[in-house]
């Protein structure tokens, strides 16, 4: 159970989950704007052809409930607008991510220091030289 809770904590605190939550909240708020655009502007304009608000356009079927074609078309319009806006946002974010990655790749690499082998070789050479000096002074 503890492992499960730790996995959930790692998942819930990742940046992607927080970003997704913010996206959902902004998307829900934007959905209200798109719904208002469709219901308050587009439906009345489309409804001019039917002498009523377009969302109220129905097709009467004998002996059955009417088909609410206007309401359905309004929902499709909402979907298309939201899908297009989300597509544009994702496309822009991908472009920004590519620019960020290309700037990182284009940055010159910092000069590298000596490797561990080079340092060890230098230390060995210094020890040998020191040893040679000591033996030269004794003889």
């Amino acid at each position: 159970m503890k492992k499960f809770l730790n996995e959930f904590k790692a998942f819930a605190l990742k940046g992607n989950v927080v970003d997704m939550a913010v996206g959902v909240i902004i998307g829900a708020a934007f959905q209200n704007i798109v719904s208002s655009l469709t219901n308050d502007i587009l439906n009345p304009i489309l409804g001019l052809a039917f002498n009523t608000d377009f969302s109220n356009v129905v097709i009467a079927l004998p002996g059955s409930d009417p088909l609410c074609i206007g309401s359905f078309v309004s929902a499709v319009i909402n979907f298309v607008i939201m899908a297009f806006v989300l597509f544009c946002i994702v496309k822009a974010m991908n472009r920004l991510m590519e620019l960020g990655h290309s700037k990182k790749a284009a940055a010159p690499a910092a000069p590298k220091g000596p490797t561990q082998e080079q340092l060890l070789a230098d230390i060995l050479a210094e020890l040998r030289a020191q040893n040679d000096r000591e033996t030269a002074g004794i003889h």
Side-chain angles (χ1 to χ4, degrees):
M1 184 67 167
K2 188 174 184 178
K3 181 180 175 185
F4 177 79
L5 291 175
N6 287 337
E7 288 177 12
F8 177 74
K9 180 181 174 185
F11 168 78
L13 296 179
K14 283 185 181 178
N16 292 341
V17 175
V18 174
D19 293 343
M20 185 178 70
V22 170
V24 168
I25 292 168
I26 291 173
F30 189 72
Q31 178 62 39
N32 290 335
I33 295 170
V34 172
S35 294
S36 177
L37 171 70
T38 303
N39 296 334
D40 300 332
I41 296 174
L42 296 179
N43 282 345
I45 292 172
L46 292 173
L48 291 175
F50 298 96
N51 292 329
T52 185
D53 187 356
F54 187 69
S55 61
N56 295 328
V57 174
V58 295
I59 298 175
L61 297 176
S64 177
D65 290 334
L67 293 177
C68 300
I69 193 76
S71 179
F72 174 75
V73 171
S74 295
V76 170
I77 291 170
N78 280 346
F79 171 77
V80 170
I81 292 170
M82 283 297 294
F84 178 73
V85 169
L86 290 176
F87 168 76
C88 291
I89 290 171
V90 169
K91 187 173 175 89
M93 291 302 292
N94 287 340
R95 187 170 290 157
L96 288 174
M97 294 294 285
E98 288 174 6
L99 288 175
H101 289 301
S102 66
K103 284 185 181 178
K104 286 181 185 176
K112 292 186 177 182
T115 64
Q116 185 176 3
E117 289 81 13
Q118 291 170 333
L119 290 173
L120 289 173
D122 291 345
I123 292 170
L124 181 61
E126 183 63 33
L127 288 173
R128 283 185 179 156
Q130 184 179 6
N131 190 26
D132 289 344
R133 285 190 300 266
E134 287 177 3
T135 56
I138 294 177
H139 292 286

